[in-house]
Amino acid sequence: MIEPLKKPVRVRFAPSPTGSLHLGGARTALFNWLFAKQHNGQFILRIEDTDIERSDIKYEESIIQGLRWLELFWDEGPDIGGNFGPYKQSERLDIYEKYLKKLIDEEKAYYCFCSKEELEADRQAMLSQGLAPKYGGRCRHIGQEETEKRLKKGESAVIRFKTPSIEIEFNDLIRGKITVNAEIIGDLVIAKNLRSPLFIFAGTIDDYEMKITHIIRGEDHLPNTPKQILLQKALGFNEIKYAHLPLILAPDRSKMSKRYMETSLLDFKNQGYLAETIVNFLAFLGWHPKDNKEFFSLNELIQEFDIKRVQKSGAVFNVEKLEWLNAQYIRNIDSVSLAEQLKDFIPTKWRDKKDLLIKALHIEKERIKKLNDFKELADFFFELPDYDANMLKWKEMTNEQIIKNLKLLIDEIDKISETEFNKNTFEADILTLAETIGRGELLWPLRTALSGKSASPGPFDIMEALGKKETLRRINVAIKKLS
């Protein structure tokens, strides 16, 4: 039983639309969503698009599409609005300017005119002394009058936060107590100008304005947390609870390859992974339930999820486990529902043969790992491929022997009416015939004649799916090939 929190929970997922939503971002969204639902809180979607040069509406749309696919619906966001909008940072510049001016007026921030060359020289000097590089504070004490003159002259400048010499301490919900000496941070750049805030600053303002209570994000953001706490303190904001999720690692616990880290979530959809699989897989990247249960629905995850059970160490991404999980989900979906999910993976003409599609699915389900496997595995149900006659041969059989056996099969099949044609009516008789002339000699050419493939399901399953008329037609095609 998860203990309810006294304060209404408000969490946010705040992606930058400079690329597609990937698995790491989707996991962050899922953990935030679960935490919110578990505490009857609010899940907010915020688009952090202040990086104008790299942000693109196509990435924003793909992020929204990916979250909807996983059914991680938000309570407030750029498309549905809310009481604390706008929910795109590019539409909140007036708000950021107000707070930047406040910090400058209170002498908690200042304009820095240092050139890149000066900053690099300072950096190298610190490194040569064995010190961690940070801004030395050259422009910290420039007066207001000189600052205004230099800005009017058009000198290039950024806005830096005047970092105080204090210790920052916060209690991470996953990692426990964390203490950082602010002196190692130096004076932060928080904006390029009054209308161009950087991530650290804009996010801090948004979290306050949107009344965010908990920030759940990846471990890679851990160095940003002390900086944002400093800004919160300087502006008199309320404290926020933090939780930093473990990194996602390769099976050998090395850094995850770009192949998977940069793969779009929607690419997994297009490869034929189910949304339920991805949700279940993501939930186990760094979290584990109390028991050994492996399969959870979203509603079950809401009941079971506990942020305190998220591990500190890296979460291992295993594509074999992902494929196995997907295969299990596919196997347990009824064929009618699965046929609906398959519609984007098969030709239109297959969809029109719904009865055959469902029969083929029922047969092939055990072999499908991803939805896009079905087209290659089951194409023969819908159209007999052109195959080589030699594929019909079992061991040293001659063409004449194979033709003779196939004609015996035709005689056996002809005894059964079209309406009564099913495994119950023909399997036993054909097996009896096979015991007489040899199982391989009879069943190998039959299966190949029906599928046109060297590997396929058993002949009786195929016959039942195809029906009597198509079964006979395919056997006759084989006889013609052998003649």
mmCIF file of all heavy atoms in Angstrom, residues 28-45:
data_model
loop_
_atom_site.group_PDB
_atom_site.id
_atom_site.type_symbol
_atom_site.label_atom_id
_atom_site.label_comp_id
_atom_site.label_asym_id
_atom_site.label_seq_id
_atom_site.Cartn_x
_atom_site.Cartn_y
_atom_site.Cartn_z
ATOM 1 N N THR A 28 11.078 7.904 -18.551
ATOM 2 C CA THR A 28 10.887 9.043 -17.647
ATOM 3 C C THR A 28 9.420 9.453 -17.613
ATOM 4 O O THR A 28 8.853 9.706 -16.545
ATOM 5 C CB THR A 28 11.760 10.228 -18.101
ATOM 6 O OG1 THR A 28 13.132 9.850 -18.051
ATOM 7 C CG2 THR A 28 11.546 11.439 -17.213
ATOM 8 N N ALA A 29 8.796 9.527 -18.785
ATOM 9 C CA ALA A 29 7.380 9.880 -18.856
ATOM 10 C C ALA A 29 6.534 8.862 -18.103
ATOM 11 O O ALA A 29 5.626 9.223 -17.342
ATOM 12 C CB ALA A 29 6.939 9.972 -20.311
ATOM 13 N N LEU A 30 6.823 7.567 -18.301
ATOM 14 C CA LEU A 30 6.057 6.505 -17.638
ATOM 15 C C LEU A 30 6.154 6.606 -16.123
ATOM 16 O O LEU A 30 5.136 6.544 -15.421
ATOM 17 C CB LEU A 30 6.554 5.136 -18.105
ATOM 18 C CG LEU A 30 5.961 3.918 -17.379
ATOM 19 C CD1 LEU A 30 4.460 3.822 -17.616
ATOM 20 C CD2 LEU A 30 6.663 2.628 -17.816
ATOM 21 N N PHE A 31 7.369 6.787 -15.589
ATOM 22 C CA PHE A 31 7.541 6.837 -14.140
ATOM 23 C C PHE A 31 6.838 8.064 -13.555
ATOM 24 O O PHE A 31 6.258 7.999 -12.469
ATOM 25 C CB PHE A 31 9.032 6.829 -13.774
ATOM 26 C CG PHE A 31 9.669 5.456 -13.851
ATOM 27 C CD1 PHE A 31 9.178 4.487 -14.712
ATOM 28 C CD2 PHE A 31 10.767 5.132 -13.080
ATOM 29 C CE1 PHE A 31 9.754 3.221 -14.806
ATOM 30 C CE2 PHE A 31 11.360 3.877 -13.146
ATOM 31 C CZ PHE A 31 10.849 2.913 -14.007
ATOM 32 N N ASN A 32 6.893 9.187 -14.266
ATOM 33 C CA ASN A 32 6.160 10.374 -13.810
ATOM 34 C C ASN A 32 4.655 10.117 -13.830
ATOM 35 O O ASN A 32 3.932 10.478 -12.886
ATOM 36 C CB ASN A 32 6.499 11.572 -14.705
ATOM 37 C CG ASN A 32 7.746 12.306 -14.266
ATOM 38 O OD1 ASN A 32 7.719 13.109 -13.339
ATOM 39 N ND2 ASN A 32 8.860 12.019 -14.930
ATOM 40 N N TRP A 33 4.181 9.521 -14.915
ATOM 41 C CA TRP A 33 2.751 9.249 -15.073
ATOM 42 C C TRP A 33 2.252 8.306 -13.975
ATOM 43 O O TRP A 33 1.205 8.552 -13.350
ATOM 44 C CB TRP A 33 2.520 8.638 -16.454
ATOM 45 C CG TRP A 33 1.088 8.460 -16.836
ATOM 46 C CD1 TRP A 33 0.269 9.352 -17.468
ATOM 47 C CD2 TRP A 33 0.295 7.276 -16.632
ATOM 48 N NE1 TRP A 33 -0.985 8.801 -17.669
ATOM 49 C CE2 TRP A 33 -0.996 7.525 -17.163
ATOM 50 C CE3 TRP A 33 0.545 6.028 -16.052
ATOM 51 C CZ2 TRP A 33 -2.024 6.583 -17.127
ATOM 52 C CZ3 TRP A 33 -0.481 5.086 -16.010
ATOM 53 C CH2 TRP A 33 -1.742 5.369 -16.545
ATOM 54 N N LEU A 34 3.019 7.241 -13.716
ATOM 55 C CA LEU A 34 2.634 6.283 -12.675
ATOM 56 C C LEU A 34 2.597 6.943 -11.302
ATOM 57 O O LEU A 34 1.672 6.721 -10.518
ATOM 58 C CB LEU A 34 3.616 5.098 -12.658
ATOM 59 C CG LEU A 34 3.550 4.130 -13.841
ATOM 60 C CD1 LEU A 34 4.707 3.141 -13.774
ATOM 61 C CD2 LEU A 34 2.220 3.394 -13.871
ATOM 62 N N PHE A 35 3.603 7.760 -11.029
ATOM 63 C CA PHE A 35 3.674 8.434 -9.731
ATOM 64 C C PHE A 35 2.465 9.359 -9.548
ATOM 65 O O PHE A 35 1.859 9.401 -8.474
ATOM 66 C CB PHE A 35 4.977 9.234 -9.640
ATOM 67 C CG PHE A 35 5.252 9.816 -8.279
ATOM 68 C CD1 PHE A 35 5.761 9.036 -7.258
ATOM 69 C CD2 PHE A 35 4.997 11.154 -8.018
ATOM 70 C CE1 PHE A 35 6.016 9.564 -5.996
ATOM 71 C CE2 PHE A 35 5.252 11.705 -6.765
ATOM 72 C CZ PHE A 35 5.761 10.901 -5.754
ATOM 73 N N ALA A 36 2.112 10.082 -10.595
ATOM 74 C CA ALA A 36 0.966 10.996 -10.522
ATOM 75 C C ALA A 36 -0.331 10.227 -10.301
ATOM 76 O O ALA A 36 -1.139 10.572 -9.425
ATOM 77 C CB ALA A 36 0.880 11.831 -11.798
ATOM 78 N N LYS A 37 -0.555 9.182 -11.113
ATOM 79 C CA LYS A 37 -1.808 8.425 -11.012
ATOM 80 C C LYS A 37 -1.928 7.735 -9.663
ATOM 81 O O LYS A 37 -3.009 7.628 -9.088
ATOM 82 C CB LYS A 37 -1.900 7.390 -12.144
ATOM 83 C CG LYS A 37 -1.944 7.999 -13.535
ATOM 84 C CD LYS A 37 -3.096 8.979 -13.677
ATOM 85 C CE LYS A 37 -3.009 9.780 -14.963
ATOM 86 N NZ LYS A 37 -3.986 10.883 -14.995
ATOM 87 N N GLN A 38 -0.816 7.258 -9.172
ATOM 88 C CA GLN A 38 -0.798 6.554 -7.899
ATOM 89 C C GLN A 38 -1.228 7.452 -6.743
ATOM 90 O O GLN A 38 -1.850 7.001 -5.786
ATOM 91 C CB GLN A 38 0.633 6.058 -7.688
ATOM 92 C CG GLN A 38 0.881 5.198 -6.505
ATOM 93 C CD GLN A 38 2.317 4.718 -6.573
ATOM 94 O OE1 GLN A 38 3.210 5.468 -6.232
ATOM 95 N NE2 GLN A 38 2.522 3.509 -7.034
ATOM 96 N N HIS A 39 -0.906 8.741 -6.861
ATOM 97 C CA HIS A 39 -1.227 9.692 -5.785
ATOM 98 C C HIS A 39 -2.381 10.615 -6.163
ATOM 99 O O HIS A 39 -2.544 11.686 -5.556
ATOM 100 C CB HIS A 39 0.019 10.519 -5.446
ATOM 101 C CG HIS A 39 1.143 9.702 -4.867
ATOM 102 N ND1 HIS A 39 1.111 9.184 -3.593
ATOM 103 C CD2 HIS A 39 2.325 9.289 -5.403
ATOM 104 C CE1 HIS A 39 2.220 8.510 -3.357
ATOM 105 N NE2 HIS A 39 2.981 8.554 -4.435
ATOM 106 N N ASN A 40 -3.173 10.199 -7.159
ATOM 107 C CA ASN A 40 -4.303 11.029 -7.624
ATOM 108 C C ASN A 40 -3.851 12.438 -7.971
ATOM 109 O O ASN A 40 -4.545 13.428 -7.680
ATOM 110 C CB ASN A 40 -5.415 11.072 -6.566
ATOM 111 C CG ASN A 40 -6.035 9.707 -6.338
ATOM 112 O OD1 ASN A 40 -6.332 8.997 -7.292
ATOM 113 N ND2 ASN A 40 -6.189 9.322 -5.080
ATOM 114 N N GLY A 41 -2.661 12.523 -8.572
ATOM 115 C CA GLY A 41 -2.085 13.823 -8.908
ATOM 116 C C GLY A 41 -2.267 14.175 -10.373
ATOM 117 O O GLY A 41 -3.058 13.564 -11.098
ATOM 118 N N GLN A 42 -1.503 15.163 -10.823
ATOM 119 C CA GLN A 42 -1.590 15.673 -12.187
ATOM 120 C C GLN A 42 -0.275 15.419 -12.925
ATOM 121 O O GLN A 42 0.804 15.643 -12.378
ATOM 122 C CB GLN A 42 -1.870 17.187 -12.167
ATOM 123 C CG GLN A 42 -3.144 17.568 -11.427
ATOM 124 C CD GLN A 42 -4.392 17.109 -12.163
ATOM 125 O OE1 GLN A 42 -4.630 17.503 -13.290
ATOM 126 N NE2 GLN A 42 -5.181 16.270 -11.513
ATOM 127 N N PHE A 43 -0.411 14.980 -14.166
ATOM 128 C CA PHE A 43 0.740 14.735 -15.038
ATOM 129 C C PHE A 43 0.715 15.793 -16.136
ATOM 130 O O PHE A 43 -0.233 15.874 -16.911
ATOM 131 C CB PHE A 43 0.637 13.328 -15.628
ATOM 132 C CG PHE A 43 1.685 12.997 -16.662
ATOM 133 C CD1 PHE A 43 3.029 13.002 -16.338
ATOM 134 C CD2 PHE A 43 1.317 12.657 -17.961
ATOM 135 C CE1 PHE A 43 3.994 12.678 -17.291
ATOM 136 C CE2 PHE A 43 2.270 12.331 -18.923
ATOM 137 C CZ PHE A 43 3.612 12.343 -18.582
ATOM 138 N N ILE A 44 1.768 16.606 -16.184
ATOM 139 C CA ILE A 44 1.809 17.747 -17.108
ATOM 140 C C ILE A 44 2.830 17.483 -18.207
ATOM 141 O O ILE A 44 3.939 17.011 -17.936
ATOM 142 C CB ILE A 44 2.169 19.056 -16.358
ATOM 143 C CG1 ILE A 44 1.030 19.447 -15.411
ATOM 144 C CG2 ILE A 44 2.446 20.203 -17.310
ATOM 145 C CD1 ILE A 44 1.204 19.006 -14.007
ATOM 146 N N LEU A 45 2.446 17.796 -19.430
ATOM 147 C CA LEU A 45 3.378 17.734 -20.558
ATOM 148 C C LEU A 45 3.806 19.158 -20.896
ATOM 149 O O LEU A 45 2.970 20.028 -21.154
ATOM 150 C CB LEU A 45 2.721 17.089 -21.772
ATOM 151 C CG LEU A 45 3.563 17.083 -23.062
ATOM 152 C CD1 LEU A 45 4.845 16.275 -22.877
ATOM 153 C CD2 LEU A 45 2.757 16.544 -24.243
#
